Amino acid sequence: MKRILYFLATNLAIVFVLSITMRILGVEPYLNANGLNLSSLLVFSAIMGFGGAFISLAISKWTAKRMSGAVVIEEPRTPTEIWLVKTVRQQADAVGIKMPEVAIFDTPEVNAFATGMTKNSSLVAVSSGLLNAMTRDEAEAVLAHEVSHIANGDMVTLTLIQGVVNTFVMFLSRVIGYVVDKVVFKTERGTGPAFFITMMIAQFVLGILASMIVMWFSRQREFRADAGAAKLSSKNKIIAALQRLQAQHEPSALPEQMAAFGISGKGGLSKLFASHPGLDERIAALREAQ
């Protein structure tokens, strides 16, 4: 979940800053000076949308380290660090990727994530809570899940999906802003303040709706990463790790405002915004797999 949230938060911030910058530099007013040029606007939106997504990808490792406080293991010293680095190296060799950076972030919650711009420039990070709560076999399966994300190229694919939805969000929000400015506020020459205000509101709302597409994709990739973990480690180990997560997360309910991002997943509307399928679904999928 952290991998997705870090990426989305960074992408949203970059796109917002790019929108403000283009407004200040006069690029958007130029597009609207003589009426809305839809072809130029679509090209502009694609450049901005994919640009924001790829900048987010390029700084994903840096962002993840700063936001989580993850400390990269440069020279393993403790038995746990030695085992951690050795396990990731074995799994990376098995899937044919370069050794990722391995890091630990200090938090009691049981969590792990993988990120990076390419398969051969990646990061695998686990929480101290995971290392304390899980057995070696369970932790091995979690590492295999994260290494599978890297081997499957999930961050790059996520970036492409995000670039597409960014493009449509930016395009539609500007069309909405233009229509409101011209029809409701009757601006005759160029665009008025209503265009910018309406555009930013529409961009925010459409961005939230578009995140459902990204989250749906993320949920499908989780099933694939689980299958990869079953091959790298074993089906029994990844099922045991997911059951451990159930024991850690299900007894106490998450606050309502955080329910959409709960690792255990929920039904209803919140499920549409969840980056991971429910743990029951993931366990069932593993048990049904040949």
Side-chain angles (χ1 to χ4, degrees):
M1 181 178 71
K2 284 184 177 292
R3 170 178 58 93
I4 304 296
L5 293 182
Y6 291 154
F7 178 81
L8 290 179
T10 305
N11 177 79
L12 182 62
I14 289 172
V15 169
F16 183 82
V17 171
L18 287 175
S19 295
I20 298 293
T21 303
M22 292 301 101
R23 182 70 179 181
I24 293 173
L25 294 177
V27 175
E28 287 196 30
Y30 173 79
L31 291 174
N32 302 327
N34 299 305
L36 196 63
N37 186 322
L38 294 180
S39 298
S40 297
L41 178 59
L42 184 58
V43 172
F44 167 79
S45 298
I47 293 172
M48 294 276 285
F50 278 93
F54 277 99
I55 292 172
S56 301
L57 177 64
I59 64 173
S60 59
K61 273 205 305 183
W62 181 87
T63 303
K65 290 175 186 177
R66 298 305 181 276
M67 294 180 73
S68 68
V71 178
V72 175
I73 301 173
E74 301 290 353
E75 293 183 9
R77 292 183 174 85
T78 68
T80 297
E81 290 179 350
I82 293 171
W83 173 84
L84 196 60
V85 171
K86 179 182 177 181
T87 302
V88 172
R89 179 176 287 109
Q90 290 173 339
Q91 293 175 350
D93 289 342
V95 296
I97 61 173
K98 287 187 178 179
M99 176 66 180
E101 289 184 302
V102 182
I104 298 174
F105 55 102
D106 188 22
T107 176
E109 69 178 33
V110 179
N111 219 325
F113 65 88
T115 191
M117 187 170 184
T118 68
K119 295 180 182 181
N120 294 318
S121 178
S122 56
L123 167 74
V124 173
V126 298
S127 69
S128 55
L130 182 146
L131 295 172
N132 292 330
M134 287 190 168
T135 66
R136 286 281 174 92
D137 283 349
E138 293 164 353
E140 175 193 317
V142 172
L143 292 172
H145 176 94
E146 301 304 337
V147 170
S148 293
H149 271 308
I150 298 170
N152 293 338
D154 286 342
M155 283 303 293
V156 175
T157 311
L158 173 67
T159 300
L160 295 174
I161 297 292
Q162 188 67 59
V164 172
V165 299
N166 281 353
T167 297
F168 282 98
V169 166
M170 300 188 79
F171 179 82
L172 292 175
S173 64
R174 281 152 180 77
V175 170
I176 292 170
Y178 187 84
V179 171
V180 170
D181 190 51
K182 295 297 184 183
V183 176
V184 178
F185 290 89
K186 310 294 184 182
T187 302
E188 295 182 358
R189 296 185 60 185
T191 54
F195 166 79
F196 184 70
I197 295 171
T198 305
M199 179 268 291
M200 294 305 296
I201 294 173
Q203 185 170 298
F204 177 76
V205 174
L206 291 172
I208 293 175
L209 296 176
S211 69
M212 290 191 294
I213 298 172
V214 180
M215 291 305 184
W216 178 87
F217 160 78
S218 173
R219 292 194 295 273
Q220 306 316 304
R221 303 302 279 193
E222 287 303 316
F223 288 122
R224 188 177 178 189
D226 283 343
K231 292 179 181 179
L232 271 178
S233 181
S234 79
K235 182 189 293 189
N236 290 336
K237 289 180 182 180
I238 186 62
I239 288 176
L242 294 174
Q243 289 173 332
R244 180 76 66 177
L245 283 174
Q246 279 186 316
Q248 291 286 329
H249 288 269
E250 290 189 350
S252 58
L254 289 169
E256 184 177 353
Q257 63 269 28
M258 291 296 293
F261 302 106
I263 192 170
S264 60
K266 285 193 174 184
L269 183 61
S270 63
K271 187 175 181 180
L272 297 176
F273 292 94
S275 62
H276 287 55
L279 292 170
D280 285 336
E281 293 179 68
R282 294 170 65 182
I283 292 171
L286 284 164
R287 284 175 170 161
E288 292 170 4
Q290 297 299 318

